[in-house]
Amino acid sequence: MQDFEDVGYQNTFRHTSAHILAHAVKRLFPETKLAIGPAIENGFYYDFDREEPFTNEDLAEIESEMRKIIKEKLDIERFELSRPDAIKLMTELEEPYKVELINDLPEAEVISFYRQGDFVDLCAGPHLDNTREVKAFKLTQTAGAYWRGSEKNRMLHRIYGTSFPDKEMLKNYLAMLEEARKRDHNKLGRELGYFTTVDYIGQGLPIMLPKGARVLQILSRFVEDEEQRRGYQLTKTPLMAKSDLYKISGHWDHYRDGMFIIGDPEKAEETEVLALRPMTCPFQFQAYLTKTRSYRDLPIRYNETSTLFRNEASGEMHGLIRLRQFTISEAHLLVTPEQVEAEFRGCVDLARYMLDTLGLSEDVSYRFSKWDPNDKEKYIGEPAAWDAAQDTMKNILDHMDIEYVTADGEAAFYGPKLDIQIRNVFGKEDTLITIQIDFQLAERFGLEYTDRGGEKKRPTIIHRTSIGCYERTLALLIEKYAGALPLWMMPEQVRILPISERHLDAAANLRAQLTAQGFRVEADTRDEKIGKKIREAQLEKIPYMLVIGDQEVADGTVSVRTRKDGDIGVLPIAQIIQRMQEEIASRKHD
RNA sequence: GCCGAUGUGGCUCAGAGGUAGAGCAAUUCACUCGUAAUGAAUAGGUCGUGGGUUCGAUUCCCACCAUCGGCUCCA
């Protein structure tokens, strides 16, 4: 058997699985039209066009048909056809999507097909030799998906599945998914009391409960302090502005669907039209514009813990990951062309420092997001400015030890981005941090500085975040640590557990003592058995549980349990304080 | 926005066309307790919202809202 760790083989394996899926669907529902069915990271899918969506019962039926096809041990054969013959074959089989695909293939492309029994599919391959090799598979879900990924096209029915060379591997994979589900911030974050949502408040507008709000506060204080150390100046700018501002920035023309607009743009002559801010840039630029600037003043680094509002489409919201209102560690750096590289590096360095401190470094990858020169709707500015900004960024990236992938059409509307992508427990990727170079907005806003020789110049603008959007970061932290956040950012660090009523005073005293030392500490003073109090504290992932009873009161000690190591013994209070202080100071994470 | 699923007390879940249950949690009393789940009692739901069908709906139909999984979009 070949090595399943080999990505090439794995893709071949999953791709053949997709063909078996399509084969089964065609047997059971012959009127179904085939679209495409690739291997993906953890499995495969196939898109089908048919009137009725697939039900769970259909899936079970398809699975058993797939089992039959595998048992039939069908050989998989490749053959090639000329373009006219290929089109003829697919037309005969009434597969319009395949015909469309063939027509779009480049002139020189070899057009190949794969056959297994009575099933034929247009396919570049490669494939396994025989259907029997797919020993273990499972259809995991159905979903809608647009033909060729465009919302202008027809929505097809997609079936997702996964497959492995043996049953044990499938079982392990499904068990891993089950574990990931337990860490899902959207479930765990609610259970642990970090946040909630209310249907009459609306989508993408979470209530941050005391624990969640506390973590956001801890993180933002940490970020603001660190940025101050690195020469940033904090601003506090309005959450909304007149439409005039966004007309200058380009948001009005290029981002209006993404904004919450107050007032009626149709009656702009008579009434005020405002919009909640989707980004902070134009506001911080106004701070720059308050006086004339010299090259000696640059770089200027404005940071802000900035709440933004984006009118995301209704189906986009998800837990704390996609919101309509969120708060981001925002900054804009106004720099001379000579300073761009050093300042950009500084931004990357800060982002990496943040990721290290949070313990997320291993989960990220870097993406160089460029514009799409053909999409005039989405972007502002001339190709020359884009080329300059992209060349500058590429040059910097290539001189840093950063491995990155390039993505076309992922830029912001005003400039290219370095996106730091993070994978969550399910392997799903999102942008956590972004650093952008902008050669456009300085012109639009008339930002300038006087250069050494006395001439007026445009500063280059770096847009960046250091830790990303706080809510999203919290979501990833909850998943990363399964709710057991590192001590320094834990909303409740210590819980005191008096064994009986006669230890309540001692518990209150200890609580006061620890609070005075700066710990976030609570006491469980309910009339409950000690075992139950401990159990509940464990479920809440409280890092330190201090049990206090007769012996401890007499000796000035506490019985210490940690969520990680369990019972670590009876220690003098001073000693446990020192231990916790050291752990907090080191910002240790497991 | 599109496709699909879901929505019963704080949580997990039963239930059925005739006006709702269980366990855990909560409250009270007893027990004053050394690593969750002692006993007794009490309270808590117009079954997501609004229409419609029906003698009657939470259960059937429609619309809307929210949540979840995808697509598209995006921090």
Side-chain angles (χ1 to χ4, degrees), chain A residues 496 498 502-513 548-549 552-553:
Chain A
I496 297 163
R502 65 177 175 276
H503 310 110
L504 289 182
D505 285 348
N509 289 340
L510 182 55
R511 181 175 182 220
Q513 187 183 349
I548 187 159
E552 289 82 356
V553 171

Side-chain angles (χ1 to χ4, degrees), chain A residues 75-79 113-121:
Chain A
D75 283 329
I76 301 170
E77 308 157 70
R78 177 191 164 97
F79 62 96
F113 291 83
Y114 282 79
R115 174 187 287 125
Q116 56 196 45
D118 55 347
F119 175 79
V120 176
D121 197 359

Side-chain angles (χ1 to χ4, degrees), chain A residues 363-378:
Chain A
D363 307 313
V364 300
S365 60
Y366 296 81
R367 185 177 80 183
F368 177 24
S369 298
K370 299 161 83 167
W371 76 322
D372 175 358
N374 298 317
D375 193 342
K376 293 277 184 274
E377 286 290 297
K378 193 171 164 187

Side-chain angles (χ1 to χ4, degrees), chain A residues 273-290:
Chain A
V273 177
L274 297 148
L276 297 177
R277 65 177 183 194
M279 296 174 193
T280 322
C281 355
F283 296 87
Q284 289 196 319
F285 297 160
Q286 303 310 314
Y288 182 88
L289 285 168
T290 52

Side-chain angles (χ1 to χ4, degrees), chain A residues 144-158:
Chain A
Y146 297 109
W147 167 237
R148 299 197 139 182
S150 168
E151 61 187 327
K152 295 187 179 71
N153 291 339
R154 183 172 168 80
M155 178 150 286
L156 308 174
H157 299 293
R158 176 173 296 180

Side-chain angles (χ1 to χ4, degrees), chain A residues 453-471:
Chain A
E455 68 271 38
K456 298 287 186 193
K457 290 204 171 157
R458 300 287 178 211
T460 300
I461 301 167
I462 299 174
H463 308 240
R464 52 105 274 194
T465 161
S466 54
I467 203 178
C469 143
Y470 287 99
E471 294 85 349

Side-chain angles (χ1 to χ4, degrees), chain A residues 5 50 92 154 252 295 362 369 441 523 552 590:
Chain A
E5 296 298 308
R50 87 190 263 255
E92 279 168 13
R154 183 172 168 80
W252 199 253
Y295 71 96
E362 289 163 13
S369 298
L441 294 181
E552 289 82 356
D590 301 326

Side-chain angles (χ1 to χ4, degrees), chain A residues 205-254:
Chain A
L205 300 168
I207 304 292
M208 298 312 298
L209 297 170
K211 284 167 72 172
R214 178 69 73 200
V215 179
L216 298 189
Q217 182 194 43
I218 292 162
L219 290 175
S220 60
R221 282 177 175 172
F222 170 65
V223 168
E224 286 181 3
D225 288 348
E226 181 60 29
E227 288 176 344
Q228 186 177 344
R229 285 205 316 120
R230 294 179 184 234
Y232 284 80
Q233 298 171 275
L234 195 65
T235 62
K236 195 77 183 163
T237 59
L239 299 181
M240 67 182 92
K242 294 196 294 180
S243 56
D244 307 45
L245 182 75
Y246 305 111
K247 284 173 185 164
I248 299 171
S249 65
H251 286 90
W252 199 253
D253 287 334
H254 294 273

